[in-house]
Amino acid sequence: MFVRTPADLGAVIRDRRKQLKLDQAAFAKRIGVSRYWVILIERGHPRAELSLVLRALDALDIQLDAGVRETDRRRPRGVDIDAIVAKAKGGKS
Amino acid sequence: MFVRTPADLGAVIRDRRKQLKLDQAAFAKRIGVSRYWVILIERGHPRAELSLVLRALDALDIQLDAGVRETDRRRPRGVDIDAIVAKAKGGKS
DNA sequence: TGCTATTGTCAGCGATCGCTGACATATGTT
DNA sequence: AACATATGTCAGCGATCGCTGACAATAGCA
């Protein structure tokens, strides 16, 4: 599953927690956080702190893979648009 | 690249930002954040706020994929350890 | 229906966020 | 060296974090 919003993350966490048959209290204790925090996260709290989120994922054996999004493959490989533009930097404005 | 710590994330972000030839100021403006924030993130700030991080990744076209970590493949497929343990719940302790 | 486990809600608190904006330190180019 | 660009540092500020702990609401089961 791809994670683009805090809500996505909340869903991933909640699903996996249930999969592992952990209740909020047990889960919270495992990652060293309050149960309240778990509730907020699963609800999609946008301002949660990064390290806690990462610890939560780790505790659930969820791996985060960060990769470049390859939406369009219109251009042949080996062509660096930026480089071309830079070379022709007549009006950089 | 796998992201397990704030430092990992900082590295991913910094590398990609340079790949796109953005300086901190331009990058910060693009995601609606201060340049100071960018510096902290790239340094691996553990308490950064989630939504800003996600926006940063999005702005860099970095996709976050969350999947269950499959470290050991010792057991044949179809065997659910949890279920077995549950079934034999003589001493659940 | 009762009983239990689980989940959701809240106020008040200390701690820390992210911002600004000016200055210091690289880094690179001529 | 001189200059321009990029990156790193900091103090003070308002805003919000995550915690506690007790209670309310919901779900599951007999």
Side-chain angles (χ1 to χ4, degrees):
Chain A
M1 163 122 192
F2 292 116
V3 177
R4 298 193 63 177
T5 71
D8 289 345
L9 194 111
V12 167
I13 288 182
R14 167 161 268 220
D15 288 354
R16 178 66 176 151
R17 173 177 66 78
K18 298 210 155 180
Q19 207 171 90
L20 296 180
K21 296 189 176 65
L22 289 168
D23 62 27
Q24 294 175 343
F27 178 44
K29 171 172 276 187
R30 178 181 290 203
I31 65 183
V33 94
S34 72
R35 190 170 66 86
Y36 187 49
W37 185 87
V38 172
I39 292 176
L40 292 184
I41 276 296
E42 294 189 349
R43 186 185 289 169
H45 183 40
R47 311 198 45 181
E49 97 179 36
L50 179 61
S51 64
L52 297 183
V53 170
L54 293 180
R55 264 164 48 200
L57 294 176
D58 209 59
L60 295 173
D61 279 319
I62 294 176
Q63 215 169 34
L64 265 194
D65 186 2
V68 174
R69 185 185 302 133
E70 309 246 7
T71 39
D72 45 12
R73 270 251 167 266
R74 287 164 295 175
R75 298 287 173 183
R77 301 178 310 124
V79 173
D80 182 354
I81 305 295
D82 287 352
I84 295 174
V85 172
K87 185 171 290 183
K89 60 179 175 194
K92 67 167 184 306
S93 175
Chain B
M1 163 116 190
F2 292 114
V3 176
R4 298 193 63 175
T5 71
D8 289 346
L9 193 111
V12 166
I13 288 182
R14 166 161 268 219
D15 289 353
R16 179 66 176 152
R17 174 177 65 78
K18 298 211 154 180
Q19 206 172 92
L20 296 180
K21 296 189 175 66
L22 289 169
D23 61 27
Q24 293 175 344
F27 178 44
K29 171 173 277 187
R30 179 180 291 203
I31 65 184
V33 95
S34 73
R35 190 169 66 85
Y36 188 48
W37 185 87
V38 172
I39 292 177
L40 291 184
I41 276 296
E42 294 190 348
R43 186 184 290 169
H45 183 41
R47 312 198 44 181
E49 95 179 38
L50 178 61
S51 64
L52 297 183
V53 170
L54 294 180
R55 263 162 52 197
L57 293 176
D58 208 61
L60 294 174
D61 279 318
I62 294 176
Q63 214 168 35
L64 265 194
D65 186 2
V68 173
R69 183 185 304 134
E70 311 244 7
T71 40
D72 46 13
R73 270 249 168 268
R74 285 164 296 174
R75 298 288 170 183
R77 302 179 308 125
V79 173
D80 182 353
I81 304 297
D82 286 353
I84 294 174
V85 172
K87 184 171 292 183
K89 60 183 173 191
K92 66 169 186 307
S93 174

